[in-house]
Every structure is written in C-alpha cells, then in structure tokens.
Amino acid sequence: MSLAPFAAHDETSLGRVYAEAPPTLRGEFQRDRDRIIHSNAFRRLVYKTQVFVNHEGDLYRTRVTHSMEVAQIGRTIARALQLHETLTEAICLAHDLGHTPFGHAGQDALNECMRDFGGFEHNLQSLRVVDLLEERYADFPGLNLCFETREGILKHCSANNARELGELGRRFIERRQPSLEAQLANLADAIAYNNHDVDDGLRAGLLEVDALREVTLFGREYAEVVQRYPQLAGRRLIHETIRRMINRVVTDVVSTSAERIAAAGPRSIEEVRTQPTALIVMSDSVREEHLELKRFLNAELYRHHRVLRMTNKARKVLHELFEVFMHDIDLLPEEHRLSATMAESRAGIPARARVVADYVAGMTDRYAISEHRRLFSPAEPS
Ligand code: MG
C-alpha cells in the first residue's frame, strides 16, 4: 500500500525529544504504537469507565475496548485515503491514556479540584503520560514518542497551556492544522462512541428502540434492516443496524475527505498543517445526523438518572481522594509522597497538587473505589 505524499512518513518525522537510533525491524510509528501498548497507562484502560462503571457489567465498553474500536475505525479510513495506518493506530490507542477513573465525571471533578493549580484536562494528561509519567526506559522519561504521535494525542489545548508546549503547542496559537492522521483519529473517536454508546445504552435498558427510531441515522438504517430481514429481531437486529450506521458514516468521511484533499491539493504534511481548515471531515448532512445522535445520547443516556446517580458518586469519590491527599501528603503511597515533597520544594503548592492529580488520574475505577474505602472507612484495613 503506497502512502500519499500528504500522509505522514516515517523518514520525514519531526523526530523524538531524545534522539534515538532508528528501529531495525519496525518503522518509527510502529515503534510508537508498540510502546503505547506496552505502557502501564494502556493496561489501566481495561478498568476505566467509558460510560458505565466497570463493575456494572462485563459487556459494556471500557476505555480499552473503546480505544480499540477507535483504532479499528481510524485504520479503515487511513487505508482508504492512503494515510499512515500505523501512526493513526498509535494515536487512536493513546488518545485516552490520560483519562481519569469514572469517565467524564472524573475529569470534571479533577478539573474542579485543580482550578487554582492550573486545571486538569484529559488530553493534556494523555500527553503528560507519554512524555513524563511512564517509567519504562533507561535513557529517557516517558515513552519518547515521535512528534506526529504526540501532535495527534494533543487534540485540544488552551492558548495558555499551548505556550508552555513549544513546537507542539504552536498550532493552537497560530491556528494551524495537525496531520491528516491526527484529524481522522479525532473523528474516529466520535464515530466509535456515538455508535457503541447506542449499543451499550440499549443493553443497559436505558435507551428505547422506539425513541432511537426518531433519530435519523439510527431510524433510516433500522427501517432498511427491518424491510430486508423481516424475521430479524433482538440483538441481531440492533447490531446489524449499528454496523450499517458505522459503515455509512465511515464511507461518508472517506469520500468527503478525498474530495476536500483533492480540492486543497496539499503536497506534503507541512502543506496539510498550513491549510485554513481540517480536510478530514464528514459531509454537512452526515455531520448534522451525527450531531443529532450525539444530542440524543446526551439527553437520554449521559443524563439518564441511573447514569447520573453513578457519576455523582464518582465525582464525590474523586473530590474526597484529592482533598485528603492535598491536605496530608503523608497519606500518599511512598513513591508519590516523595515526588510530591520534591515537587513542592521546587515549585510550591501547585506542583504538589499536580503530583496528587497525576496519582488520582492514574487510578482505575476499582482502585479509586477501594482506595477511597481504605482511607475513609475505619472498618477497612488501611
Ligand atoms: Mg475517546
């Protein structure tokens, strides 16, 4: 499979922060993908919430199965557009490494806790994980990933944070675009969760097929499946509908993006970066349908009272964990206590808060729940 000139290329990568000899058996981005899979943060995704907390059921998506679905969708689009499939996969697999336990409720809670200390943002945290927090290699901290992989991981960033990130933050200040691989990983994320959340919401009994039929994207594919397979019912009917929804959106992204790329005519990844707008996009009509589904999920699933009751508990657990460690760092495990003490003596209270936030953000759902119990219930061993 040949790579388009506007794709990322191993040979012209902007490189790693710490120079390394080129890999002998793999490409540069393949090495990045492998490092991500070997990381601790990646394995923790197994026990981190997507929408449903890990103990709510074995079949729901977790962060790791979500990330794999994102990667799978991303690779399909990358291949169809002659973009770098492995770089796309690496970005997709790493995109949620910085997520807190308990999904978005956890991220919001930690952001509130960190309000006076620079805030907390899961995208930026994913970058922190791969740049600093992973401890695996003798020669450098973090995973020392290529610029293009890090560029893809950093989806959003405030201007203030961007200024501290040097070259990587430049595009947020100058309003430049990231690589096409990064753009498509971003879309693959949205396609994956919109569709699998329909599946998980129905499985949980929080969504109703009748209500979903009113949503254009679902309703149209559902009607087609019913017409073509009148006997089909239950799970197969749902799954056949959802696979067609994914196919419809993915096909649309490929054809619309191919047109945009042809019209803009970038000859290199650098020319992609200087485009005024993103080139990996959905058509207007499919984007509207996708947004309609997203609004539906927002109202009917993410704000369902059963989900809210759980997110409320999750928020409380994270707030209390953060507060108790901030108040008394002697309660932190030794390694984190030493980092917190050192950080504080170097850069004051915000630096201490950052170490606490790193520790709390790294927790899996079940670790956060048991750590909370150990700290707050006198009946538990500490
Ligand atoms: Mg995601």
Side-chain angles (χ1 to χ4, degrees), residues 2 46 105 119 133 180 241-242 257 270 324 356:
S2 66
V46 175
L133 299 178
L180 297 177
T241 302
I242 293 174
S257 305
E270 261 319 298
V324 79
V356 172

Side-chain angles (χ1 to χ4, degrees), residues 50 63 66-67 70 92 95-96 99 104 122 155 189-190 193 196:
Q50 183 61 27
R63 282 277 158 203
H66 160 70
S67 301
V70 175
C92 293
H95 85 284
D96 272 349
H99 244 294
H104 281 280
H122 72 87
K155 265 193 303 200
D189 184 23
Y193 68 67
H196 66 47

Side-chain angles (χ1 to χ4, degrees), residues 209-278:
V209 170
D210 282 345
L212 268 162
R213 285 169 65 188
E214 303 295 315
V215 180
T216 316
L217 202 54
F218 184 94
R220 186 178 45 227
E221 303 301 329
Y222 185 87
E224 250 183 67
V225 176
V226 168
Q227 196 192 23
R228 191 144 171 223
Y229 306 95
Q231 308 300 327
L232 204 63
R235 280 201 193 102
R236 287 178 73 183
L237 173 53
I238 301 301
H239 290 153
E240 180 64 32
T241 302
I242 293 174
R243 79 171 259 247
R244 284 160 182 256
M245 289 163 65
I246 297 174
N247 186 54
R248 184 179 188 90
V249 179
V250 165
T251 311
D252 177 80
V253 168
V254 169
S255 60
T256 311
S257 305
E259 282 166 24
R260 293 288 174 93
I261 294 167
R267 284 163 301 181
S268 67
I269 188 170
E270 261 319 298
E271 289 189 13
V272 166
R273 291 190 174 114
T274 53
Q275 294 292 317
T277 56

Side-chain angles (χ1 to χ4, degrees), residues 22 27 56 71 103-104 117 123 149 191 204 263 269 271 302 312 337 348 363 379:
E56 291 185 282
H104 281 280
F117 313 113
N123 258 295
T149 312
I191 297 170
I269 188 170
E271 289 189 13
Y302 310 139
N312 184 50
R337 184 174 69 231
M363 293 178 182

Side-chain angles (χ1 to χ4, degrees), residues 143-354:
L143 306 181
N144 197 33
L145 302 179
C146 292
F147 180 90
E148 292 74 11
T149 312
R150 298 167 64 233
E151 171 191 52
I153 292 173
L154 193 64
K155 265 193 303 200
H156 318 284
C157 182
S158 69
N160 267 346
N161 288 326
R163 273 186 272 280
E164 294 181 12
L165 291 169
E167 186 57 24
L168 200 67
R170 231 176 82 190
R171 83 168 196 264
F172 299 98
I173 299 161
E174 298 176 2
R175 299 187 183 283
R176 286 154 47 106
Q177 309 301 321
S179 71
L180 297 177
E181 287 80 358
Q183 296 178 26
L184 89 82
N186 196 6
L187 271 195
D189 184 23
I191 297 170
Y193 68 67
N194 258 349
N195 286 285
H196 66 47
D197 288 352
V198 169
D199 186 25
D200 281 354
L202 286 168
R203 177 175 294 111
L206 304 186
L207 296 179
E208 300 282 345
V209 170
D210 282 345
L212 268 162
R213 285 169 65 188
E214 303 295 315
V215 180
T216 316
L217 202 54
F218 184 94
R220 186 178 45 227
E221 303 301 329
Y222 185 87
E224 250 183 67
V225 176
V226 168
Q227 196 192 23
R228 191 144 171 223
Y229 306 95
Q231 308 300 327
L232 204 63
R235 280 201 193 102
R236 287 178 73 183
L237 173 53
I238 301 301
H239 290 153
E240 180 64 32
T241 302
I242 293 174
R243 79 171 259 247
R244 284 160 182 256
M245 289 163 65
I246 297 174
N247 186 54
R248 184 179 188 90
V249 179
V250 165
T251 311
D252 177 80
V253 168
V254 169
S255 60
T256 311
S257 305
E259 282 166 24
R260 293 288 174 93
I261 294 167
R267 284 163 301 181
S268 67
I269 188 170
E270 261 319 298
E271 289 189 13
V272 166
R273 291 190 174 114
T274 53
Q275 294 292 317
T277 56
L279 298 177
I280 305 293
V281 287
M282 296 175 193
S283 65
D284 290 344
S285 62
V286 167
R287 190 178 51 245
E288 191 36 59
E289 288 176 15
H290 212 245
L291 280 175
E292 182 197 8
L293 176 59
K294 195 175 173 159
R295 283 193 297 270
F296 175 86
L297 288 169
N298 246 324
E300 305 297 321
L301 180 62
Y302 310 139
R303 294 206 190 115
H304 191 287
H305 86 274
R306 255 175 63 199
V307 173
L308 287 181
R309 282 167 66 103
M310 184 48 90
T311 50
N312 184 50
K313 281 190 271 191
R315 186 175 295 130
K316 183 168 141 63
V317 167
L318 280 209
H319 266 285
E320 290 180 355
L321 285 173
F322 182 87
E323 293 309 330
V324 79
F325 293 131
M326 263 315 267
H327 183 71
D328 187 353
I329 56 170
D330 288 338
L331 295 173
L332 284 167
E334 188 178 359
E335 189 193 334
H336 299 276
R337 184 174 69 231
L338 292 176
S339 320
T341 312
M342 272 161 48
E344 186 173 348
S345 65
R346 235 184 6 248
I349 297 288
R352 179 215 288 207
R354 187 59 60 190

